[in-house]
Amino acid sequence: MSSAKDFRIAIVGGGMCGLACAVGLSLRGIRADVFEAAPEFGQVGAGVGLGLNAIRALAGLGILEPIMEKADTKKPTLRSFIFVSGYGQHELIYDYAKHSGQFGLGIYRPTFLDALLPFLNPDRLHLNKRCTHVDQLNSGAYRLRFSDGTTEEADLVVGADGIRSTIRNAVTKDSSSGLVFSNTVAYRSLIPHDSLIKAGLKTSVNTMPVCWMADNKHLITFPMQGSKMLNVVMFSSEYSKPMKSELKGAWVETVPRSEIETLYKDMGEDVKIIVNHVNNSAKWYIHQVNPPLASYVSGRVVLVGDSAHGMQPHLGAGVGQGFEDVYVLVRLLSHPGTRLSNLDSVLNIYDQLRPRRANMVLEASARAGRIFDGFGKPGQGPTWAAKMLAGIWEPVWHHDLKAEVDAALKQLEGNSGFSFSMSRL
């Protein structure tokens, strides 16, 4: 489908959301240039889990099929969490699948990017382009400045440059980053499943994600690469301290296993087996956008993904919200009536839809972390945990985004300026 537009689009950031946006537009005949700070795409990778809402957004963009061809499984599989105690014999606390079965998808970030890159014109992909500033020109267009001294111009700037976004400052008009350190760290590791079984692991971890609940800490394990590998994320939090501003320096460092062993030494045997199979681990300092942004748009600069709503990962919903952002934006931009003359009105519709929804998930994700870490506190045992976990993912998974966008477009089509633009095509 060809839908050439009279405005130029620059996407800053070539991660999962940036490339999804570029491909979604390209499939609709709309060209966009992607500017990525790294020397190659997918330089940093981790496993991500996609819920039903994220899968629907990818399908709506027209990119689910090539992603599925590269994924661990060739179709979505049941991925609802099982919650167990991190202590003792790891008693079952709550089986989410028994109450609300959820199909999802696990994929390695570089694999996702590899699936999308063939759909893009290489001439539109620009590496080693770290955007440092965005200025609006007298013409109404925007000039992007890069660290190598070069500049580019565009009529629409899409900020998909992650949680440490430069483009966010162009929207908030604030020199601060808008980020806080959540007082939570996460240790990430990939472990061969067979080695855990040989070591005596009893809890089944190769078919479903498992959350091992504890006091001020928890573990998440989920199978990757057709259950050959176990993706392990071990969280530790300090809730007694107020969240403070963004940490300076690196947010990721390599630490020895001994640091992790000390943190989880009071937990049960299966957790200890998992920890004992970690070599050097990547320690991530978890940040979030705080307070949540009231708007994701300023003029014709728009934020998607972590640039807009970087959140804690406890509902595994951050990238899914980014795909929802992209789905909404692509549908709005690709509408036959969308032109440079009404672009502000179109972006206003995006801004009416996305902050309300994504900020709700941002706040729910932080709350979920406290629930996962609340086990073991006075009055917060298995019964309390099961009650708090019931339905925790339902608002994330079962939102009818397509219907919401359909209604918004119908409203937009009733606008006289938008309708007039359509009549000229």
Side-chain angles (χ1 to χ4, degrees):
M1 177 175 63
S2 178
S3 182
K5 298 295 181 180
D6 63 344
F7 51 87
R8 299 162 295 173
I9 304 172
I11 300 173
V12 180
M16 297 178 79
C17 290
L19 288 192
C21 187
V23 174
L25 291 170
S26 178
L27 292 175
R28 290 155 178 82
I30 303 173
R31 296 180 301 180
D33 283 277
V34 178
F35 300 93
E36 166 59 31
E40 58 183 296
F41 292 101
Q43 194 175 39
V44 178
V48 296
L50 306 178
L52 185 60
N53 62 304
I55 290 172
R56 286 196 300 264
L58 293 174
L61 287 167
I63 61 177
L64 179 61
E65 186 174 340
I67 291 168
M68 290 301 305
E69 291 177 359
K70 295 277 189 176
D72 293 344
T73 57
K74 300 309 175 187
K75 62 180 181 179
T77 57
L78 192 65
R79 293 184 64 83
S80 297
F81 269 83
I82 295 173
F83 293 85
V84 301
S85 169
Y87 301 114
Q89 299 302 308
H90 308 298
E91 65 176 305
L92 177 66
I93 303 301
Y94 192 78
D95 184 345
Y96 210 94
K98 287 185 177 180
H99 302 275
S100 180
Q102 163 64 21
F103 284 83
L105 174 67
I107 193 165
Y108 191 45
R109 182 180 183 272
T111 301
F112 180 98
L113 301 180
D114 286 344
L116 295 187
L117 283 170
F119 290 89
L120 296 172
N121 183 340
D123 292 341
R124 296 280 172 177
L125 304 175
H126 312 279
L127 295 169
N128 290 304
K129 290 293 182 181
R130 182 175 299 280
C131 185
T132 58
H133 199 72
V134 177
D135 302 304
Q136 187 166 20
L137 305 174
N138 291 335
S139 64
Y142 292 86
R143 178 187 290 127
L144 287 76
R145 300 181 184 274
F146 299 96
S147 58
D148 62 2
T150 61
T151 63
E152 296 285 345
E153 291 185 15
D155 302 298
L156 169 64
V157 178
V158 180
D161 51 339
I163 194 167
R164 292 177 115 163
S165 172
T166 296
I167 309 303
R168 186 188 303 122
N169 295 340
V171 171
T172 63
K173 311 299 184 185
D174 189 345
S175 59
S176 68
S177 67
L179 299 176
V180 296
F181 172 50
S182 66
N183 293 325
T184 294
V185 297
Y187 302 88
R188 297 177 180 267
S189 185
L190 276 172
I191 303 172
H193 180 252
D194 286 350
S195 66
L196 298 174
I197 297 300
K198 290 177 182 177
L201 187 78
K202 294 182 174 60
T203 304
S204 177
V205 295
N206 65 330
T207 58
M208 304 281 280
V210 179
C211 177
W212 314 69
M213 300 176 67
D215 185 9
N216 290 330
K217 57 196 173 192
H218 69 278
L219 282 75
I220 299 290
T221 61
F222 57 93
M224 296 289 294
Q225 299 178 16
S227 301
K228 292 180 181 179
M229 302 295 291
L230 190 68
N231 196 332
V232 182
V233 189
M234 300 159 278
F235 293 92
S236 178
S237 301
E238 293 187 72
Y239 294 108
S240 60
K241 297 180 179 180
M243 290 191 291
K244 56 186 179 181
S245 59
E246 173 189 355
L247 297 181
K248 304 303 178 185
W251 290 2
V252 183
E253 61 180 334
T254 301
V255 298
R257 184 172 64 208
S258 58
E259 178 174 328
I260 305 170
E261 288 174 335
T262 299
L263 279 171
Y264 302 100
K265 64 182 180 181
D266 61 335
M267 298 181 74
E269 189 61 30
D270 277 359
V271 172
K272 291 178 180 177
I273 288 173
I274 292 171
V275 170
N276 287 338
H277 283 75
V278 172
N279 293 317
N280 290 336
S281 175
K283 180 180 181 180
W284 297 64
Y285 293 84
I286 306 299
H287 286 67
Q288 70 175 75
V289 174
N290 189 67
L293 302 185
S295 173
Y296 296 168
V297 176
S298 177
R300 294 196 297 275
V301 180
V302 56
L303 302 176
V304 299
D306 284 349
S307 304
H309 44 70
M311 63 185 69
Q312 296 183 45
H314 304 302
L315 288 179
V319 71
Q321 286 308 296
F323 293 149
E324 287 191 15
D325 296 339
V326 169
Y327 171 81
V328 173
L329 187 61
V330 167
R331 282 202 60 192
L332 291 172
L333 294 179
S334 62
H335 190 283
T338 300
R339 298 177 64 83
L340 179 61
S341 60
N342 59 33
L343 200 50
D344 289 353
S345 297
V346 171
L347 294 179
N348 184 56
I349 295 295
Y350 175 88
D351 213 26
Q352 290 177 27
L353 300 181
R354 292 310 302 155
R356 177 182 58 203
R357 161 81 173 153
N359 290 345
M360 178 276 292
V361 178
L362 183 156
E363 293 169 346
S365 295
R367 184 168 62 251
R370 288 183 174 270
I371 294 171
F372 301 164
D373 289 349
F375 188 78
K377 291 184 172 63
Q380 296 184 357
T383 301
W384 168 87
K387 181 179 179 181
M388 296 299 292
L389 293 168
I392 196 171
W393 269 283
E394 302 309 294
V396 178
W397 291 338
H398 300 301
H399 178 69
D400 194 340
L401 187 64
K402 180 181 183 300
E404 186 176 57
V405 179
D406 287 344
L409 282 172
K410 186 175 182 179
Q411 175 189 350
L412 189 62
E413 289 165 359
N415 180 289
S416 58
F418 193 78
S419 299
F420 176 74
S421 293
M422 289 182 64
S423 68
R424 295 179 61 187
L425 294 181

